[in-house]
Structures are given as C-alpha cells and as structure tokens.
Amino acid sequence: MPPRVAGATTAVRTPRAVACRDGDVMNERIEVVPRHGDDPPRAQDACRVGIMRRITAARLRYCGLETMVDEVLVIVSELVTNAVLHSGTAEIGLKVALQEGLLRIEVRDGMEGSAKPKHPDHSAESGRGLVLVQGLVEENGGAWGVSDDGTTVWCDLPATGEGQ
C-alpha cells in the first residue's frame, strides 16, 4: 500500500441499499434497571436510547428507507425514552417491520398501562413526547396506538423509499 499523502482523499464504496421485503427490519431488546420514583435513569440506560436510534437509522438505510429516517428516529427516541422513564421494567423491546406497505414501529415494555399524550403547560420540561409522536404520525398519513394489554406502543407509517 502506498504511503498516505496529507490532504489526499480516499474513495470508499458504500454498499447499495437492499430492498427489504415484508418482515422484520430490526428486532432489538435492551436491558435497563427499573426506575422507582423520580430518580433519573442510570446514564448507561439513558445512552441506550441513542444506541437504538443509531441501529434503527442503519437498518432503515440498509433497507432503502432513508427517506423515513428523520421521522422514525424521533418516534423511536420518544417511545424508547418513555419506556425507560415511565415503565419500571427491566427489558424494553424495539421492533421495526415492513407489513404490506407500512413500516410498523413497536416499543414493548411488558408493563400494563396506557400511553396517552399530555398537554403540559409552557414551562414544563417534559411531557411532550407523545404529542410529538402523534403529530409526526398523523402528518405522514399513519396511525398509532397502544396494544389492548397496554404493554406495547405502536406506530404505522406508509413506507417510502427504494425499499418499497
């Protein structure tokens, strides 16, 4: 290999996106320490939200769905953060799948309950995540909800990109 020259550039071939068929785009689980009371989550648990975002972005790009990355990452971030902060669980699952032209995002915490958008006052430091998710989903022609048993929050978005 020749020596590197300062200021020289190196061409790198990136893999071409693969058109993904119906089925899982990703299915990941993270372990967290259950929170109690108003204590903040452990730093390593909070960092797992960013890790899930990065994995999601990579998988969407791999499947040719890069046009959906921005919206999906906001949704993933808000739903996984809600599970870390409010569920009291030790394991959170994130599943993203293509189903008949829809991209389904599911965050499962295994704890019964119902995620509902709040409308906090202007000075509140949190509580706007599900309102943001609801707005993004509706703006993109999708739907969202909570499973009958309350353990999973899901969103369906029309799939767009080369993968479709």
Side-chain angles (χ1 to χ4, degrees), residues 16-58:
R16 185 168 152 74
V18 174
C20 293
R21 294 187 174 90
D22 280 1
D24 287 354
V25 172
M26 65 179 282
N27 194 352
E28 300 286 332
R29 286 184 296 230
I30 57 173
E31 291 183 13
V32 295
V33 171
R35 288 185 60 238
H36 301 288
D38 291 332
D39 293 337
R42 296 180 320 155
Q44 56 265 47
D45 293 342
C47 286
R48 287 183 172 87
V49 176
I51 292 167
M52 297 309 281
R53 277 195 313 261
R54 288 188 290 281
I55 293 169
T56 303

Side-chain angles (χ1 to χ4, degrees), residues 6 29 31 36 51 64 68 81 89 123 132-133 139 155 162:
R29 286 184 296 230
E31 291 183 13
H36 301 288
I51 292 167
M68 300 185 72
T81 297
T89 190
S123 62
L132 184 58
V133 167
E139 180 179 297
C155 299
E162 288 180 33

